[in-house]
Amino acid sequence: MKVLSVCSEMFPLIKTGGLADMTGALPAALAGQGVDMRVLLPAYRGVALSLESCTELAALDLPLGRAGLRHCRMQGIDIFLLDAPALYDRPGGPYLDAAGQEHPDNWKRFALLAQAAAAIACGALPGWVPDVVHAHDWQAGLCAACLRAQDSETPVIQTIHNVAFAGRFPAAIFPELGLPEGFFGIDGVEFYGDVSFLKAGLAFSDLVTTVSPTYAEELTRPAMGGGFDGLLRARGADLVGILNGIDSGEWNPETDPLITRQYTASRLGQRQVNRNSLYTAFALEDGRPLVAMVSRLTDQKGVDLVFDAAGDILGRGFNLIILGAGDEAHETRALAVGSAHPGRAGVHVGYDEALAHRIQAGTDALLVPSRFEPCGLTQMCALRYGALPIVAPTGGLVDSVIDASPVALAQNVATGLHLREVSATGILFALDRLTAILANPPCHQQMIRNAMKTDVSLDRTAAEYAALYSRFHQSEPRVRALA
Ligand code: ADP
């Protein structure tokens, strides 16, 4: 079966968050399930440089203009790069310019991506026509609308990674999209008088998936659905939550070349070496337990709660390490925590993949106090590395971490802690519970072993997606009648 994955980022080529981790790892994981997944990605500046091979494939005449398509390979994955230098070959990131402002033509950049996906699905590459299009987030949200505009019945799966990003633009752009007039309506791309690319994906796709079962349920509530809750409730069983996973080859404490000392669940003593090396790197006092945070520094992640609690976290005897980048105000506060507590708090502001691995391999616990969290990958990395995750009880955090309740402890299944309250006080209360666990080494070691054997691999996710794709494949020709 052939699946075209349409996305705006893909690890390791270009990444701003967990979306890239999933789109980067899914093709290889699906290959083992007999799915030929190829990826369509904009040819951002510099992206082609890191690819093994690149050949010109086609020139596409799309409603928004002419664009080139290159075929490239990376570690066995086939990638189609959409080449439109005026839109993609520029400084900055995929969504923001070098000054941190949204690219003013983002609507056009990602509408073109969807138009190219529709062209491929309609046969622009005669040697490879996908059976299913898998569109990720608002940036690929117009795929289904573009296909339906051409009367194509190629099934489209729209995945929501984070409903907070709706891809919302003024209604004035609608005529430029080349879609039928009737598509601008309550059942189409219209969203409170504007255009929303995500809304288009939710309205026109055959199936909507999201990245955890709990987030799927949360999305149908007015408080958490980002304005799409009504539509998602109406779609009923068409909304499916599939828990994401991580690349268990990249994240493997047994073989990880980025950490100081490799270890397994049966050689946990070696883990200590990694903590010591962090203490040396950050000049922190030896002999204390460590809690850490590896996160985008945004309100969503609840990082302000950790800053509020920092003094009391240290007061309870823990050292604290923070690795993150994001909003300027949060970065400033993070740095202030570091400079206020030399020897006890280490802070690195920036994006540093290697340091993230070293922290996961050395910390006793990882704080993830998110206000909402569609799936969250960082707590899965923590599980795999035996760093006990302390998580807010929301979204994928609930689905991946088993709270150390008396029942779970008695059954030897606990893998971390759920915050009773998402607040600074809630974090401190959880750390008091952690202190009790640390004081009971057999219980602590059992939790670490439970965490490390949790199946967080993307193979499980891939198997669920393969099953979904084949539902469409087998129900041809009336693929769109799926309930
Ligand atoms: P999101 O996609 O919302 O940012 P996730 O937890 O799903 O959050 O995925 C983020 C990924 O990026 C995780 O693997 C996390 O460890 C990693 N990460 C976040 N911030 C940093 C950073 N400053 N340096 C290195 N890795 C980071």
Side-chain angles (χ1 to χ4, degrees):
M1 175 164 17
K2 298 189 282 295
V3 179
L4 181 67
S5 170
V6 188
C7 55
S8 55
E9 50 184 281
M10 177 189 185
F11 181 82
L13 293 174
I14 177 111
K15 167 172 167 172
T16 71
L19 163 65
D21 289 312
M22 182 186 179
T23 56
L26 208 50
L30 280 164
Q33 311 276 339
V35 176
D36 172 12
M37 171 174 273
R38 303 193 181 187
V39 181
L40 176 66
L41 185 76
Y44 304 113
R45 178 171 292 183
V47 161
L49 297 177
S50 39
L51 291 160
E52 290 156 20
S53 63
C54 242
T55 51
E56 297 298 329
L57 206 57
L60 305 175
D61 276 314
L62 303 171
L64 276 167
R66 213 169 154 76
L69 205 57
R70 288 186 246 161
H71 173 249
C72 309
R73 275 179 80 78
M74 181 191 62
Q75 295 158 17
I77 302 172
D78 290 283
I79 299 169
F80 300 125
L81 281 189
L82 182 62
D83 199 13
L87 296 180
Y88 306 129
D89 183 11
R90 58 174 71 165
Y95 320 122
L96 307 179
D97 64 20
Q101 301 298 314
E102 303 226 340
H103 296 295
D105 53 356
N106 271 346
W107 68 269
K108 192 170 188 181
R109 298 169 74 236
F110 295 110
L112 190 82
L113 182 69
Q115 291 178 354
I120 294 171
C122 291
L125 303 175
W128 197 85
V129 182
D131 302 302
V132 176
V133 171
H134 189 164
H136 294 273
D137 265 350
W138 75 263
Q139 293 88 352
L142 288 186
C143 286
C146 292
L147 276 162
R148 300 308 165 243
Q150 296 178 51
D151 287 331
S152 161
E153 290 207 339
T154 301
V156 178
I157 295 181
Q158 174 70 45
T159 294
I160 307 173
H161 293 260
N162 189 340
V163 86
F165 302 105
R168 189 167 174 170
F169 302 100
I173 67 149
F174 181 75
E176 313 260 353
L177 297 176
L179 295 173
E181 228 169 88
F183 280 24
F184 187 82
I186 191 159
D187 296 324
V189 307
E190 187 266 341
F191 185 61
Y192 294 103
D194 289 335
V195 165
S196 159
F197 284 22
L198 182 62
K199 166 87 185 301
L202 304 184
F204 288 101
S205 62
D206 297 84
L207 198 71
V208 178
T209 72
T210 188
V211 290
S212 71
T214 296
Y215 191 57
E217 185 276 317
E218 289 172 350
L219 285 174
T220 62
R221 297 188 214 155
M224 297 189 75
F228 302 107
D229 50 286
L231 170 55
L232 290 169
R233 279 195 302 278
R235 293 220 51 170
D238 283 352
L239 171 65
V240 179
I242 296 180
L243 189 65
N244 238 337
I246 56 172
D247 183 333
S248 44
E250 285 281 328
W251 291 96
N252 182 357
E254 214 174 325
T255 54
D256 190 339
L258 300 172
I259 63 179
T260 310
R261 181 68 58 84
Q262 289 75 31
Y263 59 97
T264 61
S266 55
R267 282 188 294 133
L268 285 176
Q270 305 289 313
R271 216 178 166 271
Q272 200 73 14
V273 178
N274 295 303
R275 195 176 76 183
N276 294 343
S277 106
L278 280 174
Y279 281 2
T280 307
F282 282 98
L284 299 184
E285 280 177 24
D286 282 335
R288 293 181 179 279
L290 175 64
V291 293
M293 181 166 75
V294 178
S295 180
R296 280 191 292 121
L297 299 181
T298 63
D299 291 343
Q300 177 201 334
K301 301 290 180 179
V303 296
D304 50 311
L305 309 176
V306 176
F307 303 145
D308 291 345
D312 290 321
I313 293 174
L314 305 180
R316 279 164 166 74
F318 292 94
N319 284 342
L320 174 66
I321 290 181
I322 298 171
L323 166 62
D327 299 348
E328 205 179 325
H330 291 317
E331 290 187 351
T332 305
R333 275 197 83 189
L335 291 168
V337 167
S339 41
H341 305 285
R344 300 293 310 287
V347 175
H348 181 86
V349 166
Y351 190 90
D352 188 332
E353 191 81 20
L355 183 56
H357 283 240
R358 292 177 58 204
I359 291 174
Q360 298 282 16
T363 190
D364 295 294
L366 188 86
L367 291 171
V368 194
S370 307
R371 292 191 164 89
F372 68 95
E373 193 59 79
C375 176
L377 298 179
T378 195
Q379 84 284 2
M380 296 198 187
C381 303
L383 289 167
R384 185 131 168 89
Y385 279 61
L388 301 182
I390 299 179
V391 303
T394 183
L397 300 175
V398 176
D399 296 327
S400 55
V401 177
I402 301 175
D403 179 53
S405 65
V407 174
L409 286 172
Q411 294 177 344
N412 281 339
V413 294
T415 59
L417 295 165
H418 289 187
L419 297 179
R420 299 279 186 266
E421 184 188 297
V422 185
S423 65
T425 313
I427 291 173
L428 295 171
F429 181 65
L431 287 181
D432 291 338
R433 294 173 65 208
L434 177 66
T435 301
I437 291 165
L438 294 176
N440 180 348
C443 167
H444 181 215
Q445 305 251 320
Q446 181 66 47
M447 278 185 71
I448 295 179
R449 282 194 295 272
N450 296 343
M452 291 181 74
K453 69 168 197 264
T454 305
D455 184 359
V456 290
S457 83
L458 203 79
D459 294 340
R460 177 189 37 74
T461 315
E464 290 190 50
Y465 272 107
L468 276 192
Y469 302 147
S470 59
R471 263 167 71 179
F472 288 107
H473 208 46
Q474 285 157 9
S475 58
E476 283 174 329
R478 289 306 312 148
V479 287
R480 300 194 58 207
L482 265 190

